[in-house]
Amino acid sequence: MRYPHTHAPSRRRHASSPAHGPSRARWRRVCVVLAATGMLAVPLSAGTAFSTPVAAPAVHSAAELAPAASNGAFVELTPAVEARLDTAVQQVMREAQVPGVMVSLSAPGKGEYVKTFGVADKANNAPMDTDLYLRIGSETKTFTVTAMLELVDQGELGLDDTIGEYVAGVPNGDRITLRQLAGMRSGLFNYSEDENFFKALTTDPERPFTPEQLLDYSFKHPVNFQPGAEFEYCNTNLILLGLVVEKVSGQPLHQFIEENVTEPAGLRHTIFPTDAAIPSPHAHGYTNQTATGKVEDSTNWDPSWAWAAGAMISDLRDLRAWARVLATGTLLTPETQAERLKVLPTNIPGADYGLGIFDVQGWIGHNGSLPGYESLTVYLPEARATMVVMLNTDIPHDGSEPSTLFGQAITKIVSPDHVYNLPVTPTPKT
């Protein structure tokens, strides 16, 4: 069954009041997640780690180089601090058995730390490098929601339009708003928690999925709650928003995002793929989200199953730029960015969620996880600081996402008043 776009007349609207309600749930580990984290415990066996500093620093304007009024929110990246960071990153690598990782930290007047560790390809021990492409999973949500908010700024849709005005057949479609979809408060069932979807993905990870097929997996389930009643992280929401962008713009989602988001933001190595290919050079990804549970190379798995929720590819340089663009609203009007940043509480201590963006202890941005890859791109407004972490595995350690473990270990050193810390929470069963 297909869920065709319904006709929606062109209109001129503006963002309006926020949605209601708290609460939450994660997706299964195979999907892009709002990851939970915990303290590291017993060290595992050590692995080889390469550390490759990047020689070319970013060029900053005079305003950016002016000392931030941070009151110590972000420490100066001195050689001593860099040595502590090296140790912390390598410890997480050993304990979580991460093949390779790249880390970027910067803040005006505080310096810069950009290094890579470990290997990009376990078959030949090629070192991780900052020029490599990686899949960024749920960070795709920040691009999809930005595209939708640009259409809000153009007056082509309103945040409080219902999804039923654009896509037919959505349960509660006459009540669920675009704001609630972007804020993870729709109540729709998450297609990636459907058992048949999980089997289809893991038994043939190179097969393509259409957005309509993904919605089929969701819509055969009853809704989990009424619109706005709770928070629940759900990929179905983003598939629907992707279809809205296509309906209103008249363009394929990947084309609209390229022309209206990545190109204006100056992101030359950020791609919304339309097939399983990943550009070269790239890091190989390693996952145990397989039919057998054994670790496999997932580099060429088709990401269409995540589409508007998690299919995109990027590199370290672009994500460093995107962290600031996303958090400061460069591509949006101040009014629409203010709507985006009206974060509401979840039931994850220390974490709030806005419109396709989270706030964890003051760090604003998003993380991402796709089989074989994880990333974390966040910005600390108080210090105008940026943190990006990219790695080539999604295998959890003691129930925690490795990107979260890196984020926690790093921020304990550089922003002790703003530690990126999400507690371990159980994964919902299907």
Side-chain angles (χ1 to χ4, degrees), residues 189-210:
F189 183 86
N190 189 356
Y191 70 84
S192 48
E193 291 181 14
D194 178 85
E195 191 64 33
N196 290 327
F197 165 80
F198 182 77
K199 290 177 181 177
L201 176 65
T202 56
T203 55
D204 186 10
E206 296 183 9
R207 64 164 287 186
F209 289 87
T210 67

Side-chain angles (χ1 to χ4, degrees), residues 137-182:
S138 243
E139 291 200 44
T140 303
K141 292 176 171 66
T142 64
F143 292 90
T144 300
V145 174
T146 297
M148 186 267 289
L149 293 175
E150 288 182 331
L151 292 170
V152 171
D153 278 339
Q154 295 170 20
E156 296 297 332
L157 54 80
L159 281 174
D160 294 312
D161 292 352
T162 64
I163 185 60
E165 297 177 56
Y166 302 94
V167 181
V170 181
N172 279 341
D174 60 341
R175 299 175 55 206
I176 297 170
T177 66
L178 305 186
R179 184 192 301 277
Q180 290 166 338
L181 291 170

Side-chain angles (χ1 to χ4, degrees), residues 6-160:
T6 59
H7 175 69
S10 177
R11 68 212 357 113
R12 297 282 164 184
R13 298 195 179 175
H14 300 283
S16 50
S17 60
H20 314 286
S23 203
R24 85 114 235 156
R26 306 175 45 187
W27 354 348
R28 315 177 61 113
R29 284 186 349 204
V30 12
C31 308
V32 184
V33 295
L34 256 177
T37 189
M39 297 296 291
L40 290 171
V42 181
L44 302 177
S45 58
T48 303
F50 299 90
S51 178
T52 311
V54 173
V59 177
H60 299 286
S61 68
E64 287 176 319
L65 288 172
S70 61
N71 297 320
F74 192 88
V75 305
E76 184 177 354
L77 297 171
T78 63
V81 170
E82 290 190 13
R84 291 179 62 198
L85 288 168
D86 289 349
T87 299
V89 170
Q90 290 169 330
Q91 180 180 351
V92 173
M93 287 186 69
R94 289 192 300 270
E95 295 181 352
Q97 297 185 317
V98 173
V101 63
M102 55 184 79
V103 177
S104 172
L105 295 163
S106 62
K110 301 294 186 178
E112 190 171 69
Y113 174 95
V114 184
K115 290 189 177 181
T116 65
F117 302 82
V119 298
D121 185 345
K122 295 197 294 186
N124 59 17
N125 286 326
M128 187 67 90
D129 188 87
T130 56
D131 291 334
L132 300 177
Y133 288 94
L134 285 81
R135 301 190 188 276
I136 62 171
S138 243
E139 291 200 44
T140 303
K141 292 176 171 66
T142 64
F143 292 90
T144 300
V145 174
T146 297
M148 186 267 289
L149 293 175
E150 288 182 331
L151 292 170
V152 171
D153 278 339
Q154 295 170 20
E156 296 297 332
L157 54 80
L159 281 174
D160 294 312

Side-chain angles (χ1 to χ4, degrees), residues 254-269:
H254 70 274
Q255 182 180 344
F256 185 88
I257 286 178
E258 178 181 352
E259 294 180 5
N260 296 276
V261 183
T262 58
E263 285 187 356
L267 308 183
R268 299 179 180 178
H269 300 95

